[in-house]
Amino acid sequence: MTRAERREQLIDVARGLFAERGLDGTSVEEIAAHAEVSKPVVYEHFGGKEGLYAVVVDREVRTLQTAIRAALTTPRVGARRLIELGTLALLDYIDAYPDGFAIISRGSSATSQEGSFATILSDVASQAEDLLAAEFANRSFDPALAPMYAQMLVGLVGLVGQWWLDTRETTPLDKQVVAAHVVNLAWNGMRHLEVAPRLGRPRVTLVSDPDE
């Protein structure tokens, strides 16, 4: 192999091991053994498993962020379609790179703050704020609330993505079906938002206090 080919091989091997075992559960010895090289080769290319892990995380983060940004900046489409495209972008990534998503969604910030899934979702939410603010203004809602609703919406999509990755072998659902249901809840919920919502029920005591 050329040096570049060997580097790519080590990244591919490590991605699978990190997805299965995490950073702490993976050793340089295991990476080298699976790649059929000696340990010094891993150190030569990446300086150790932490350096290799950082490269894997950075690559996956960039791939996912690029896909979602492209979806949310699609020209000449309505707000609902942008939500659909953003949801499908995440599910497409999970479908194509399940190991990569497993890494960045499960504590990938061990070596880089940019690698945490929460950071990625926060970045996506920031992009969604303008979309929601415009939609809120059209419906006479307070646009200042758009950042909070963007966090809710992106959190919904992100958690469903994690659930789909974890359960799709035992509860097979096509990603188009999953996306349609996510958008059904998100969009139809938005359509019927109250301008000034209030909590209508009194607080319920779940466990009775014998002293009351």
Side-chain angles (χ1 to χ4, degrees):
M1 290 186 182
T2 65
R3 180 176 179 83
E5 289 171 340
R6 179 65 72 189
R7 179 182 174 84
E8 289 302 314
Q9 181 213 19
L10 290 171
I11 291 173
D12 289 340
V13 167
R15 182 188 295 109
L17 291 172
F18 289 142
E20 179 183 354
R21 307 177 189 182
L23 174 63
D24 293 336
T26 304
S27 67
V28 173
E29 289 85 353
E30 290 173 312
I31 296 171
H34 280 76
E36 299 183 343
V37 298
S38 61
K39 287 171 54 180
V41 173
V42 179
Y43 287 110
E44 177 187 354
H45 282 271
F46 302 101
K49 71 172 183 177
E50 288 80 8
L52 177 50
Y53 185 79
V55 170
V56 170
V57 169
D58 181 69
R59 179 173 295 190
E60 298 303 322
V61 167
R62 289 176 183 272
T63 300
L64 177 55
Q65 286 182 326
T66 298
I68 294 178
R69 284 172 180 165
L72 294 181
T73 55
T74 302
R76 297 184 297 278
V77 296
R80 174 173 179 145
R81 182 57 179 161
L82 287 178
I83 295 174
E84 291 177 354
L85 292 173
T87 302
L88 283 171
L90 175 63
L91 297 181
D92 283 342
Y93 171 80
I94 294 172
D95 198 23
Y97 307 103
D99 285 346
F101 184 75
I103 291 169
I104 63 176
S105 65
R106 296 169 185 165
S108 62
S109 59
T111 60
S112 171
Q113 291 183 350
E114 298 301 319
S116 76
F117 190 47
T119 300
I120 297 171
L121 294 183
S122 180
D123 177 66
V124 175
S126 296
Q127 298 175 60
E129 288 177 15
D130 291 340
L131 163 67
L132 293 184
E135 191 68 27
F136 278 20
N138 290 337
R139 297 174 182 273
S140 301
F141 299 135
D142 184 0
L145 296 174
M148 179 176 67
Y149 277 87
Q151 293 288 339
M152 295 180 197
L153 177 60
V154 172
L156 165 65
V157 177
L159 286 174
V160 170
Q162 290 178 301
W163 170 83
W164 186 59
L165 174 65
D166 292 336
T167 63
R168 61 182 184 158
E169 291 186 2
T170 56
T171 310
L173 286 174
D174 182 82
K175 62 186 172 185
Q176 297 283 339
V177 173
V178 174
H181 283 281
V182 169
V183 175
N184 182 41
L185 175 59
W187 182 254
N188 288 318
M190 287 176 59
R191 286 183 62 192
H192 299 289
L193 288 178
E194 298 175 354
V195 174
R198 295 176 180 271
L199 298 179
R201 294 183 178 181
R203 185 175 65 88
V204 177
T205 301
L206 298 180
V207 180
S208 60
D209 188 338
D211 294 330
E212 291 184 352

